[in-house]
Amino acid sequence: MRFALNSLRARISLIVLLSFLPAFVLIIWTAEDQRRVAIEKAEADVLNLTQIITADNKQYISSTYQLLTAFSQLPAVRNRDSGACSALFADLLDDYTSYSNFGAVDTATGVSFCSGLPMEKPIDVSETAWYQKVLQTQDFLVSEYRIGLLTGLPTLTMALPVRDDQGSMQAVVTASLSLRWLDASLQEADLPSDTTITLLDKDGIVLARHPGPNSWIGKPFYNQDLFKIVQKKERGTTRAPDAEDTPRLYGFSHMGPAEGQISVVVGFPERRILADAKAIRNRNIATLVGISLTVIVLTWIGSSVVLRPIKSLIETSRLIAAGELKSRTKLNTNIVELEQLLHAFNEMANSVEKEASARMDELAATNEQLRYEIDERAQAQAQTKILQELTASLSEAVTSEQVEAVVVDKGLVPVGSHFSVIALYDENTSRLKLQTKYPVPPEIEAEVREMELNTATPLTESFVEDKTIWVENLQDYEQRYPILFQRIQPIWKTQSFACLPLWSGKKKLGGMLVSFPAPRSMDAAFRVLLTTIADYCAQTLDRARLYEEQIAAREEAERATRRITCIQTVTAALSDALTREQVAQIVVNQGIAVLGVQSGAFYSLHENRFALVYHSPNLSEAPENDPFSTAVVSPFTEAVEQKKVFWIRSSGEFRALFPDMPQFAPLYSGGGAILPIMIRDEVVGVVRFNFADAHAFDEDDRLLLVSILQQCAQALERVELAEQATQSAAFEERQRLARDLHDAVSQTLFSATTIAESLPRQWDRSPEKTQNRLGQVVTLNRAAMAEMRALLLELRPDAIGKTELKVLLSQLIDAAKGRKHIKAQLNIRGTENNLPLDVHIAFYRIAQESINNILKHSQATQFSVDLDQGQDAVRLMITDDGHGFDPEEERAGLGMGNMRERAAAINAMLEVTSQPAQGTQVRLAWEWDT
């Protein structure tokens, strides 16, 4: 068969082929657009995931900073109490599993004095890079990858300086974040298996890796070119091969210097990103090619069969259309199908005339059916629109109240409900509680707002039996629930309703009642609609309740943080208080700041009498400045006798608590609190607070205020002990001076006076002996003067620091010669240097203690004091020829402990050498800092 371009067959085939060309171009263009969109979406997704992970890690570091800040305020850390500090850190390690250890380092030595893990001996961290950087910056630090000296595990060390009251750095507290824990937390991420997450320090060392074993930790990042790109920008995306040379799209972000310059790198494989676009393109092309070929072949084959009969059919159709219903086609063909078609056409023509009238009737019936289907479709579209608007509004609802309002306004009111009820099951009371704010008459408020499960109501029946109840008219309503019909129907005018249980997954939440003001036939489509609304309501309510629980937990955590911060503030303030007045002022002012009270006052209790110590300036009534007895009837006496706190919300509640004291009720019109202060179960004072407006104390207020009062009691006890210690120290110092005056100066002057009185009598008998006696008098007077100078120095301690060391040592030797007949020698080498005050005083006190030991215990006949004042060090050596002692069995009376403590305080070396019958030598050396 010859192919001609101008033939109908060729032209039909060509037109069919050309008609598919735009579709092919569209498929190619769409595929490229899908590829671009997929890449842009992947870049946004990977960058968003990177920023989320970066934010999470910043939160870890911020939480650690807050934790270290709390550590820096601990008395055990600030006082370098190794035992208490280590015990506290060990307990915290059990709670904070993400950390491998907590510790504290003394900045004076660079040696750790506290650790949450047991230490065989203190660890010297002075040479570590992170410690040197903390000393240099004196600020919070996050280290690079390192292996813990104590744990031997990969960690990130976070450190914070601890400053004393003058602002000087005295210690460093540390928290070691376990990189294995960090790596494990990444493994728990709900991500596709081919997604990679890598955390790097500023040197490109892997801190954590997902997916994969923790063998990645501590190794250099496999792609250094990619790492250089990451370091150049704060965040961004790039393409690079991974460790298996597979192309990937990477998103990266890194933290600033304050967070340790940690980089987060997230990678998506390009094959997954482009897989959907590629599959769609291939499928569309294959489909288009298949359809094109099929249509062309069918067109080619069918055209030869159809062309001839078509003309006959067209002609006959024209005749029939012109009204010649007797016209028939005369064409014959050997093709069975076309022959059947022609025969059928003729039969159709035969029946046209007969069925003309019947068809008109059928057309009318068809039109009626179409109208019915259109109405049904309109109803379905209306229901679909209701569900769409309900779904859109529920996606924005956050709280349970918002969900309930949306379900009623967007779901139930549009379907014709004049009021609806949503009730949720309360596991604590085993009741259904009404949630929607629908007006309820007072006489039925209690039984409607909370319903027992055994109450005969549609809601309880639907919930307990887990079934849907459909009531379509008043007769059905009255027959099934006669009691409810008599009581409720006249109020709410309900004539039909539906009750549906609310399920979320496998959890039954409650029930929903939908009421209508007229009888209603609830067909299958309407029941499906209400069931769908109930499902949407239950699922969104469950989500909202979870959200509310999270908000409540977050608020509770914030309240706990606020309590801790307040207690820390009060503790810090009370730690500086030196008097009862200062303690009282801090407690009253802090209580006012914490609770927002109007006024407060602090009364001490001593020998059954109250005395005002401090009151806030805005106290409404005149304070009781004069002490008054506990026998006077007042709220204070009740608080003292019962040893309990009284929380008062109004003057009426005050009258209920203290019926015999109505005269005090006006003071508590806005509420208040009366709190006894107890030390060792004994009341030592009372604090009262007053509010301007009615106030309901919640549990946080009570716990916080009681904690402040406990801190107050401890501070008062500390002030009392400090006063007793001061008085005791002053008394002991007076006793010591009296003993020194009696033992040294008085006896020396008595001896000098006795010798002087005998001189006139001896002058005539023996002038030479008298001359010797005169020398003794001079020596004794000089010794007494030296003792007096030493005592005057004790009375004026600042004079010790202003007197040269060689002068102080000379006075000690002169005083020793007066107290005992002993030879003493002072040797000075070098020139006087301006020693630090603490070093100057320590050298003087250690020399004083050593000479006192020689005079009291050694039975020596002579001793020497050698002072060498060099450019690099100062050395003191005191040697005697006494009977000596065993240093391993030294007695407490020798004062060796005090001497060693003084030497350790100035970082000096003290060495005591002695053996029985071989004398004693004390050597003290202190080097200048280079």
Side-chain angles (χ1 to χ4, degrees), residues 714-726:
Q714 295 174 4
L716 287 175
E717 185 175 15
R718 176 178 55 77
V719 168
E720 180 181 343
L721 293 175
E723 291 176 352
Q724 294 176 358
T726 301

Side-chain angles (χ1 to χ4, degrees), residues 625-643:
N625 290 319
D626 296 330
F628 55 94
S629 171
T630 54
V632 177
V633 177
S634 70
F636 297 167
T637 57
E638 291 294 318
V640 171
E641 290 177 1
Q642 299 185 32
K643 295 182 178 180

Side-chain angles (χ1 to χ4, degrees), residues 421 423 432-434 438 440-441 443-451 459 484 488 492:
V421 172
L432 285 176
K433 290 189 175 181
L434 187 69
Y438 194 82
V440 178
E443 60 269 17
I444 61 172
E445 171 79 22
E447 47 184 294
V448 172
R449 290 296 179 190
E450 291 192 14
M451 292 176 283
L459 270 174
L484 190 68
I488 304 299
W492 285 343

Side-chain angles (χ1 to χ4, degrees), residues 838-912:
D838 56 343
V839 177
H840 182 89
I841 294 175
F843 266 72
Y844 170 69
R845 292 300 186 189
I846 291 174
Q848 184 184 44
E849 189 71 38
S850 299
I851 293 175
N852 286 338
N853 286 339
I854 292 172
L855 298 179
K856 293 180 180 180
H857 306 294
S858 70
Q859 298 181 6
T861 61
Q862 61 180 2
F863 69 92
S864 63
V865 178
D866 296 283
L867 177 64
D868 184 1
Q869 303 177 101
Q871 294 297 323
D872 57 347
V874 180
R875 295 177 177 83
L876 176 68
M877 183 170 66
I878 303 173
T879 307
D880 67 72
D881 63 351
H883 56 62
F885 64 94
D886 186 355
E888 298 297 329
E889 299 178 359
E890 64 181 59
R891 295 167 291 171
L894 294 179
M896 291 298 175
N898 292 335
M899 294 167 62
R900 289 195 169 91
E901 289 178 2
R902 291 184 183 276
I906 62 173
N907 293 326
M909 186 275 292
L910 177 67
E911 182 178 355
V912 179

